[in-house]
Amino acid sequence: MVSQELDYFRAIIQANMEPLAKVTEVSEMAELSARLGNHVWLKREDQQPVYSFKLRGAFHKLSKLPKGSDVVTASAGNHAQGVALSASFLGHKATIVMPVTTPEIKVSAVRALGGEVVLHGHHFDAAKAHALALTEQRNGVFVPPFDDPDVIIGQGTVARELMQQLNDLDAVFIPVGGGGLLAGMAVYIKSLRPDIKVIGVEADESACLKAALEAGKPVELDRVGSFADGVAVKIIGTETFRLAQKFCDEVVTVSGDEICAAMQDIFVSTRAIAEPSGALSTAGLKKWCQQSGVKGLNVAAILSGANLNFDRLRYVAERTALGEKNEALLAVTIKEEKGSFKQFCASLGGRAITEFNYRYAGPGEAQIFVGIALRQGQQELDELKAVLTENGYTFCDLSDNELAKLHIRYMVGGKAPAQLHERLLRFEFPEYPGALARFLDTLGSNWNITLFHYRNHGGSVGNVLAAFAIEPSDYDVFNEHLNRLGYNVQDETNNPCFTQFLTTQGQKLSEAKAANQ
């Protein structure tokens, strides 16, 4: 080991987290252990005073500064609370720059911990730029959220405790955003026990470490998702990547639905409610065990945070069944005649229907949107598809269709009464009070909106589904308009949900043969 990594190892051993950061417990996840055939343990960083491991790095960084220092950072999440509490405890002055889109619950939490909050910009990059400018104006100290040796050392104390609490581990799963926790834990674990696998876990929609490993250097993602906002980082840190590249054995990526299912697993075992990024490593642990087929190992994940807006639980509960493959969403064509729904239910073999959406649209065939409960996951879904095919039903599996899960299952209405040249688009924009009105103002009134669906999930990003009546000759002008808006936009015009449930135009389900082929 080169001296630089040895210095990290020694510094983590010597780092004093007392009396602010506490030694957190390790909980056994008995139900998940039985299901996976491995002994699963959970390091409970939700037990920190700010409900997140971020306190460790902030406290260690600030403990190195002279008392009364002027510290500045930019954060809309757990790092902000860690810096505010650490500064208050150590006698520093803390200024936290947060985007104006930050939920009030987080702003209030930082203020309650003694931090001065400055609201600036509509996204993190603008807040960070302002924080750096304030740092220079005040001749202060900027506290990075992850790419800093002292922060990395502080986060590494999670591994120090874990190794003292469990001395017979085979693999440790660590969530990755900017890489501070992974870097600190990996260098400590591999220095002490190189035989233990260190596995980083990222959200599919913000996999900056995976991208960096493939490129051989940190690269900036075009965009990141918002569900697991605690790890929504576009580019991994330079120093954190150097350490991860050397000490991380592999990286697992997981979907939002898989994270929701892991949140349920954590609740069942501990009665703790993790935030999405807090359950990330548990989701990765589950996926790795299931895909590798390994049994009898001792494996650990990090519950890295529990700062969750309560109203987001509705969304989590809705997506959990899909994440566990305990529910299927299907678009099915049935005959438009008496008794056809009863006949369809009989073909399900006693399986429970979780929802059924239908509106009369004329004689002939009817297209239904149906949710079906499953007990044996993908295997049972494959069996169900075979039964439906044998019974002559044409269907499309929408279980992995984001448009179906996010919008279609909650919409009312039906198809347009006449054929229109429509473009269907899915937008994302920063969520805050008045954000929807601002979105509509920005969108403008040059185009006729023929469909609109918005649902507030309590997150930091708003989701809108909108259709526009546009002649093909105007597509170029419309596309230029979209590019100027600066929103994340996904064109869903060819999505089967649109063609089957919302428009008279395009491919019919009976012609599509759907996804059961």
Side-chain angles (χ1 to χ4, degrees), residues 7 37 40 74 114 144 151 199 227 229 236 252 279 283 290 294 305 316 388 393 406 410 424 429 444-445:
D7 288 343
V40 181
V151 172
I199 301 173
F227 176 59
D229 53 355
I236 196 165
V252 176
Q290 290 164 346
V294 298
V316 172
L388 292 177
Y393 290 105
L406 194 60
Y410 306 110
L424 184 71
F429 57 86
S445 56

Side-chain angles (χ1 to χ4, degrees), residues 68-72 92-95 135 138-142:
S69 295
D70 195 339
V71 298
V72 183
H92 304 315
K93 178 187 177 183
T95 301
T135 304
R138 300 177 179 182
N139 195 28
V141 178
F142 183 75

Side-chain angles (χ1 to χ4, degrees), residues 22 80 98-99 101 146 231 373 398 408 487:
K22 65 175 290 186
M98 310 179 85
T101 58
F146 49 82
V231 292
L398 302 176
I408 299 299
Y487 292 120

Side-chain angles (χ1 to χ4, degrees), residues 8-89:
Y8 269 114
F9 179 60
R10 289 171 176 165
I12 293 170
I13 292 175
Q14 296 168 1
N16 182 15
M17 292 291 102
E18 297 180 349
L20 190 57
K22 65 175 290 186
V23 176
T24 56
E25 299 172 3
V26 173
S27 300
E28 183 177 7
M29 300 184 70
E31 193 276 338
L32 186 59
S33 296
R35 196 177 348 139
L36 296 177
N38 294 290
H39 300 291
V40 181
W41 304 89
L42 193 66
K43 179 64 170 165
R44 297 287 304 279
E45 286 301 290
D46 60 305
Q47 295 176 343
Q48 294 294 353
V50 298
Y51 310 105
S52 165
F53 78 95
K54 286 286 190 178
L55 177 63
R56 295 176 183 266
F59 180 62
H60 186 262
K61 172 73 174 178
L62 270 60
S63 67
K64 302 294 183 181
L65 302 176
K67 187 174 181 177
S69 295
D70 195 339
V71 298
V72 183
T73 194
S75 171
N78 296 332
H79 179 62
Q81 296 182 57
V83 170
L85 180 59
S86 298
S88 179
F89 182 83

Side-chain angles (χ1 to χ4, degrees), residues 407-428:
H407 292 285
I408 299 299
R409 69 188 304 178
Y410 306 110
M411 294 178 67
V412 295
K415 296 185 176 183
Q419 287 195 1
L420 299 169
H421 291 289
E422 291 182 294
R423 290 275 301 277
L424 184 71
L425 302 172
R426 185 154 51 92
F427 296 87
E428 289 185 353

Side-chain angles (χ1 to χ4, degrees), residues 111-412:
R111 285 176 176 154
L113 293 170
E116 176 195 347
V117 176
V118 175
L119 298 176
H120 183 88
H122 285 86
H123 50 77
F124 175 76
D125 290 340
K128 182 180 178 181
H130 188 63
L132 291 171
L134 284 179
T135 304
E136 186 174 351
Q137 290 172 14
R138 300 177 179 182
N139 195 28
V141 178
F142 183 75
V143 185
F146 49 82
D147 200 22
D148 178 272
D150 284 325
V151 172
I152 292 169
I153 290 165
Q155 319 301 30
T157 61
V158 177
R160 185 183 72 190
E161 291 177 12
L162 179 64
M163 300 291 282
Q164 292 169 348
Q165 293 163 320
L166 298 173
N167 58 12
D168 188 26
L169 283 170
D170 296 294
V172 178
F173 294 78
I174 304 168
V176 182
L181 182 62
L182 175 67
M185 290 190 67
V187 72
Y188 184 88
I189 292 170
K190 288 297 187 179
S191 299
L192 196 64
R193 288 280 305 278
D195 58 303
I196 296 177
K197 281 187 173 293
V198 172
I199 301 173
V201 184
E202 294 188 287
D204 285 341
E205 55 187 15
S206 54
C208 61
L209 174 57
K210 180 181 178 183
L213 290 171
E214 291 173 351
K217 61 180 180 180
V219 292
E220 185 170 349
L221 302 177
D222 292 334
R223 61 181 297 270
V224 295
S226 61
F227 176 59
D229 53 355
V231 292
V233 177
K234 282 190 173 184
I235 183 168
I236 196 165
T238 302
E239 179 65 358
T240 56
F241 174 68
R242 185 185 73 82
L243 294 171
Q245 190 177 38
K246 188 166 186 176
F247 295 109
C248 180
D249 293 294
E250 58 183 290
V251 176
V252 176
T253 62
V254 294
S255 68
D257 291 350
E258 289 168 330
I259 293 171
C260 290
M263 292 172 70
Q264 176 178 261
D265 290 318
I266 290 171
F267 177 78
V268 168
S269 292
T270 68
R271 294 301 185 265
I273 300 177
E275 63 185 280
S277 58
L280 183 63
S281 61
T282 301
L285 181 154
K286 288 174 58 182
K287 189 170 187 176
W288 185 84
C289 289
Q290 290 164 346
Q291 291 185 342
S292 65
V294 298
K295 304 291 181 182
L297 300 184
N298 285 305
V299 293
I302 314 300
L303 199 178
S304 57
N307 287 300
L308 178 71
N309 288 350
F310 188 79
D311 52 4
R312 298 202 76 190
L313 290 175
R314 175 182 62 175
Y315 174 88
V316 172
E318 291 167 351
R319 302 294 284 252
T320 295
L322 292 167
E324 285 286 16
K325 303 298 183 184
N326 289 332
E327 183 186 26
L329 298 180
L330 302 176
V332 185
T333 299
I334 63 174
K335 294 179 180 179
E336 185 59 83
E337 62 184 25
K338 293 180 180 180
S340 60
F341 178 42
K342 183 177 180 181
Q343 182 179 356
F344 171 74
C345 291
S347 70
L348 299 180
R351 296 179 178 87
I353 290 179
T354 57
E355 66 177 284
F356 185 91
N357 295 300
Y358 159 75
R359 192 182 189 288
Y360 177 76
E365 295 179 333
Q367 294 171 1
I368 62 173
F369 184 99
V370 61
I372 302 171
L374 304 173
R375 294 179 295 274
Q376 299 176 3
Q378 187 64 46
Q379 177 185 344
E380 186 176 1
L381 178 57
D382 292 340
E383 293 171 358
L384 174 61
K385 288 180 178 181
V387 170
L388 292 177
T389 300
E390 290 173 7
N391 283 273
Y393 290 105
T394 303
F395 61 89
C396 179
D397 183 2
L398 302 176
S399 304
D400 292 322
N401 189 305
E402 191 64 20
L403 179 61
K405 294 185 287 187
L406 194 60
H407 292 285
I408 299 299
R409 69 188 304 178
Y410 306 110
M411 294 178 67
V412 295

